Amino acid sequence: MTTLLLARHGLTALTGPVLAGRTPGVHLSDEGRRQAEALAGRIAGVRLDAVVSSPLERCVETATAVAADRATAVKTDDRFVECGYGTWTGRPLEELAKEPLWRVVQAHPSAAVFPDGEPLADVQHRAVAAVREWNARLGEKAVYLVCSHGDVIKAIVADALGLHLDQFQRITADPAALTVIRYTPLRPFLLRLNDMGELRLPEDSEEKDGGENITGSDAAVGGGPGTT
């Protein structure tokens, strides 16, 4: 069972009012750096076999805070980069909300193709393919973190839950929040979603006692006792 920790980057000066997209040189704000350090503290007790990041500065800076006290270097993967928003990049969200495409993005995102940019369906395809490849590369006992962007994380979660991409706007990925997915031979399990608390992952012995059956490939009958 491979466990994926998905972290969104911390706040930047553009987070919220402007669609930063792939704009170069967008760094964490002071608050974003505090969020990244807090994220590192929240998962300090979790073993990480790899720390992977979108190549954009705000993600690399967040991932670097996580990797700082660990014997692992941050690896970048272009497949976890922000959606290519094309000519929407750098524009205020208040302005974009008046565009006809905005309603498509909200209600039918699988059909959304940004002008001179990327279809949201392609974002999901590349990100999920990257997750599957990293799972295979690191192995079934691995625990690793990927620092990425809101829409990318939401697309990965939708896939893990078996949701159509058109439902991904029902998922939230806040700055520096953590989402945890465990991939088993049969199906993924969503362990945490948009979590801001301290993370504790169940040990193998706990999984054999309950929460997931001994094969690690299906849900326990009755839901299992859970973990604390």
Side-chain angles (χ1 to χ4, degrees):
M1 298 176 293
T2 310
T3 303
L4 167 64
L5 279 58
L6 282 169
R8 186 181 172 194
H9 61 81
L11 283 168
T12 74
L14 299 184
T15 306
V18 174
L19 187 63
R22 298 179 184 177
T23 302
V26 178
H27 296 274
L28 295 179
S29 63
D30 289 344
E31 177 60 24
R33 286 190 287 274
R34 285 191 288 268
Q35 289 177 329
E37 292 168 2
L39 169 64
R42 282 157 38 211
I43 61 174
V46 177
R47 169 182 58 86
L48 293 178
D49 297 292
V51 177
V52 186
S53 176
S54 155
L56 295 180
E57 293 93 339
R58 56 194 185 271
C59 285
V60 173
E61 290 166 359
T62 303
T64 298
V66 171
D69 295 325
R70 299 174 184 267
T72 184
V74 176
K75 301 177 177 66
T76 59
D77 189 326
D78 289 346
R79 294 170 297 179
F80 293 121
V81 75
E82 178 66 286
C83 175
Y85 294 116
T87 58
W88 277 29
T89 302
R91 293 175 60 188
L93 290 179
E94 185 176 5
E95 177 183 298
L96 291 173
K98 300 173 184 177
E99 296 278 356
L101 181 60
W102 182 268
R103 293 192 65 184
V104 180
V105 172
Q106 299 304 314
H108 191 23
S110 65
V113 181
F114 294 97
D116 296 326
E118 185 178 23
L120 276 170
D122 287 2
V123 175
Q124 183 179 54
H125 177 76
R126 63 169 163 83
V128 171
V131 167
R132 296 292 183 175
E133 184 179 306
W134 278 100
N135 288 354
R137 183 188 308 182
L138 295 172
E140 63 178 14
K141 297 295 185 182
V143 179
Y144 71 107
L145 180 137
V146 169
C147 186
S148 190
H149 309 268
D151 281 348
V152 179
I153 292 170
K154 289 158 59 178
I156 294 170
V157 173
D159 172 80
L161 291 175
L163 296 176
H164 195 281
L165 184 60
D166 286 346
Q167 308 302 319
F168 100 136
Q169 296 290 25
R170 302 183 182 199
I171 299 164
T172 299
D174 289 324
L178 196 66
T179 290
V180 182
I181 304 170
R182 176 158 289 167
Y183 289 85
T184 76
L186 185 60
R187 62 169 70 89
F189 289 85
L190 182 64
L191 303 186
R192 298 284 189 278
L193 178 64
N194 204 43
D195 190 85
M196 297 299 290
E198 183 177 353
L199 180 65
R200 174 182 177 271
L201 294 177
E203 301 294 336
D204 289 343
S205 60
E206 293 173 321
E207 289 167 355
K208 293 176 182 179
D209 293 336
E212 225 177 87
N213 72 13
I214 196 169
T215 66
S217 64
D218 208 347
V221 175
T227 59
T228 56

